[in-house]
Amino acid sequence: MLRKIFCLFGLMASLSVVSTAQTLTVTSPTESSFIGLSNTIRFNITGATIEVHVEAVATGPGGQFTVSDDFTPDGVNPINGTLTLNFNQGVPEGSYAIVVTVTEPGQTYIPVTVNVILDVTKPKFLQFNPITNTFVRGSVSVRVKVLEPNFKDYRVQVGGQDIPNNTGTVLINDEFTVIWDTSGIEFDGSKTINIRLRDQADNEEVRSFEVIVDRINPTAIILQPRTDIRLAARANVSVAVDIVDGAGNSVDVSGVDVVARTTGGAYIGRISLRTFRNINGTTNRWTGRLRWRNGLPKEFKIVVTIIDKAGNSGVPQEVLVRYR
């Protein structure tokens, strides 16, 4: 009986030693992971009875970097602590070994070594489309070319809000594309696109730019020539067209086509541009001239077609020109 009691006491003592053993566990960063400019070393300590001193030393191509702090156990729960390890932009990148040690009077903790890869270079935008102040409509392809060997992920937002399928982790030929459907937007006008890039070390770069949603079809108003006036024989034809759209800069002169056609629709020639100027917040005026030449029919028509910068097409307008 006494032997059984002694054995029981021995077992209980053994369990007590196991439950109060001093251990250090580093939970972050993990082995072979990337670290960046700002990093959090997370660790757990069990078996501590008084205040402990925790130190982390990172050694690599840039030398040694040390951070430390003191932590006090609460007597019941293990210590769940953190140390912040920061690097600046100029530190040499590459393989680093982080050694975490715990010091407590009268106790011994086995140090923990974690091998990591330091990357302090932010991802770089090489190209992106659409560019700032572009007019857009319908399905807009937000396309970005990236320089980043350790790419992690991207995120695209519009007006600070997520759009469908706006995140990803894969680059194809160093590019990614997100489709933004503008049909669900209630009002046209300026919208902010935000693009965030991150690498495996959580270095991030953000680019924000404005685009203009324009779903309004432009309108052409032909001021000259007038259908109720016959031109003198051999007279040149002056043409003036007011172009109305959602904004004064939403139509470019290259989107305005003014041509002469026969009454049957056959092409005669393009009207030569003289001026293109803004009239007010929504209107531009196009002026041009068609010189008289031999073979010009006594009756023909001027046809105006418009496509604005967002790709909206106006209804073609035409006017009949008649000579006396």
Side-chain angles (χ1 to χ4, degrees):
M1 176 64 73
L2 289 175
R3 182 179 297 178
K4 291 183 178 180
I5 292 173
F6 286 137
C7 290
L8 179 60
F9 278 128
L11 179 59
M12 292 176 63
S14 176
L15 290 174
S16 176
V17 169
V18 171
S19 64
T20 60
Q22 289 72 39
T23 61
L24 164 66
T25 305
V26 176
T27 58
S28 179
T30 56
E31 183 71 15
S32 300
S33 62
F34 286 84
I35 62 172
L37 291 168
S38 182
N39 310 279
T40 300
I41 300 173
R42 303 182 187 277
F43 55 87
N44 299 325
I45 297 172
T46 60
T49 57
I50 59 175
E51 182 179 79
V52 298
H53 183 74
V54 182
E55 181 178 82
V57 180
T59 305
Q64 284 192 341
F65 302 84
T66 303
V67 292
S68 63
D69 204 350
D70 296 325
F71 300 85
T72 302
D74 62 9
V76 177
N77 301 308
I79 296 173
N80 296 314
T82 62
L83 292 173
T84 301
L85 179 63
N86 293 332
F87 299 88
N88 60 48
Q89 201 78 48
V91 174
E93 300 177 331
S95 297
Y96 281 73
I98 300 176
V99 179
V100 182
T101 58
V102 178
T103 303
E104 180 184 358
Q107 303 294 345
T108 300
Y109 294 82
I110 299 175
V112 175
T113 300
V114 181
N115 296 292
V116 295
I117 304 166
L118 178 64
D119 177 3
V120 294
T121 303
K122 294 181 178 182
K124 185 177 182 181
F125 286 86
L126 294 180
Q127 297 176 353
F128 61 90
N129 195 61
I131 60 175
T132 301
N133 294 326
T134 298
F135 286 83
V136 298
R137 70 181 181 106
S139 293
V140 180
S141 295
V142 180
R143 183 173 58 84
V144 181
K145 191 173 184 66
V146 179
L147 177 61
E148 176 50 63
N150 304 317
F151 187 76
K152 181 179 181 180
D153 60 21
Y154 61 82
R155 185 176 188 176
V156 178
Q157 294 182 310
V158 177
Q161 301 296 319
D162 287 330
I163 58 176
N165 305 310
N166 68 319
T167 62
T169 60
V170 177
L171 299 178
I172 300 177
N173 296 324
D174 298 323
E175 293 185 358
F176 67 86
T177 300
V178 170
I179 304 300
W180 168 36
D181 183 6
T182 65
S183 63
I185 295 177
E186 186 175 0
F187 301 107
D188 287 3
S190 181
K191 310 295 177 185
T192 301
I193 297 177
N194 303 290
I195 305 172
R196 186 204 66 192
L197 307 177
R198 285 196 308 185
D199 64 17
Q200 295 291 342
D202 284 336
N203 301 305
E204 70 175 46
E205 184 73 355
V206 177
R207 186 69 60 88
S208 297
F209 56 96
E210 302 287 327
V211 296
I212 301 135
V213 175
D214 177 10
R215 295 166 293 188
I216 299 174
N217 294 321
T219 301
I221 303 171
I222 301 175
L223 306 176
Q224 289 183 290
R226 291 170 49 179
T227 56
D228 59 345
I229 298 178
R230 286 181 177 269
L231 301 178
R234 298 175 177 266
N236 296 327
V237 181
S238 294
V239 179
V241 182
D242 274 359
I243 300 159
V244 182
D245 203 17
N249 61 342
S250 60
V251 178
D252 187 79
V253 65
S254 62
V256 182
D257 193 32
V258 185
V259 300
R261 295 186 179 275
T262 66
T263 54
Y267 179 78
I268 296 175
R270 182 160 279 103
I271 311 301
S272 299
L273 173 67
R274 301 186 68 182
T275 64
F276 184 79
R277 61 190 180 91
N278 184 254
I279 300 299
N280 56 47
T282 59
T283 305
N284 291 286
R285 180 163 295 169
W286 189 101
T287 65
R289 180 172 61 184
L290 176 66
R291 293 182 179 275
W292 183 89
R293 63 177 184 269
N294 286 329
L296 193 65
K298 281 194 169 184
E299 287 191 3
F300 60 93
K301 57 185 178 181
I302 303 291
V303 181
V304 181
T305 56
I306 307 167
I307 299 178
D308 66 17
K309 294 178 181 178
N312 302 298
S313 298
V315 176
Q317 300 295 312
E318 59 184 52
V319 62
L320 185 63
V321 178
R322 294 181 295 175
Y323 282 98
R324 295 173 188 164

